[in-house]
Amino acid sequence: DAIKKSKGVIGITPIVTDAEYLYVKLDTKVKYQSSKSGIAKDTLRATINTLLTNYIDLNLEKFSQNLYMSKLQTLVDKTDSSILGSNVDITMEKRLVPNFASAVTYATSFANPIHNPHIGHIPVITSRSFTFIDENGASKTGSLIDNSEGKLSIVDKLGVVLKINAGDVNYVTGYLTINRIKITAVDGNTSHIDIQAKPRDADILAPRNTIITYDAADLMVIQVAMN
């Protein structure tokens, strides 16, 4: 209201839009020469973890701030002279807050292309498991996966399909929809369903009202493996 009153122009009604948060997870594999390092392996790993965390805190979490793979790898490679090279795998994550009271349709967008090299490729969309009511009124628990052809299904822990026509995903735009469904609970008693996707491109962009961030409470959000 304050912005509308101070910035409003006669004849134009401003619309305030919430930010869309795109969470990322970093899986970093580092190759180093132990004989050249004067730092203990665990200390070096912790140092790299801290550098990556600080990079996100200082350079992202703002509008129009993109995540560039080359900058991450350069940051890691320059940590110590013993490091021979590194590879950073990025996972994108969107969060949906279910309506536990009724069946609704859900939609979200990763705002970036999703990895899908060919039909028949392994699923690149995964999610936290959740409990829902199926067409027969039965309560079932499963998670989302894609079929490499733009269709989503819900499967249980053994991979058995519980709901075949669960939604759609556009690999080019990153837009995802979940067909009308009644969700009653989310695994871990959380208030949201996190949906992960593997990005097509090395760099993650933050267009329009998208903000790239990470979950600081997730101990596995930044992983570093030393080889």
Side-chain angles (χ1 to χ4, degrees), residues 75-223:
L75 184 68
V76 173
D77 293 345
K78 289 185 176 181
T79 303
D80 188 75
S81 59
S82 65
I83 294 178
L84 305 175
S86 62
N87 181 64
V88 182
D89 286 327
I90 301 176
T91 299
M92 303 184 295
E93 178 179 296
K94 289 293 292 185
R95 296 182 172 183
L96 294 177
V97 178
N99 183 339
F100 297 115
S102 59
V104 299
T105 298
Y106 298 92
T108 189
S109 177
F110 290 91
N112 285 266
I114 297 172
H115 179 69
N116 183 44
H118 57 79
I119 293 177
H121 193 270
I122 60 174
V124 293
I125 299 288
T126 57
S127 79
R128 180 188 296 268
S129 61
F130 55 91
T131 303
F132 68 100
I133 305 300
D134 70 6
E135 291 80 358
N136 300 316
S139 179
K140 295 184 177 180
T141 300
S143 57
L144 291 168
I145 63 169
D146 69 301
N147 69 347
S148 80
E149 297 183 53
K151 297 297 180 181
L152 298 175
S153 59
I154 302 176
V155 299
D156 65 12
K157 293 181 178 180
L158 299 177
V160 177
V161 177
L162 305 176
K163 185 176 177 63
I164 191 169
N165 187 26
D168 300 277
V169 56
N170 186 316
Y171 299 108
V172 176
T173 64
Y175 191 77
L176 180 147
T177 59
I178 302 175
N179 295 336
R180 184 178 175 85
I181 188 174
K182 172 68 179 296
I183 298 174
T184 58
V186 180
D187 185 38
N189 293 320
T190 63
S191 60
H192 64 268
I193 299 174
D194 42 78
I195 304 174
Q196 293 86 29
K198 183 177 180 180
R200 184 194 68 187
D201 303 328
D203 301 327
I204 309 299
L205 306 182
R208 296 181 293 280
N209 60 320
T210 299
I211 293 177
I212 301 174
T213 186
Y214 74 114
D215 186 351
D218 184 354
L219 298 179
M220 304 299 289
V221 70
I222 296 179
Q223 299 186 65

Side-chain angles (χ1 to χ4, degrees), residues 20-35:
E20 289 287 339
Y21 291 94
L22 177 62
Y23 293 84
V24 292
K25 294 185 176 183
L26 307 181
D27 184 6
T28 306
K29 294 178 176 59
V30 181
K31 186 176 182 180
Y32 79 112
Q33 189 173 354
S34 58
S35 60

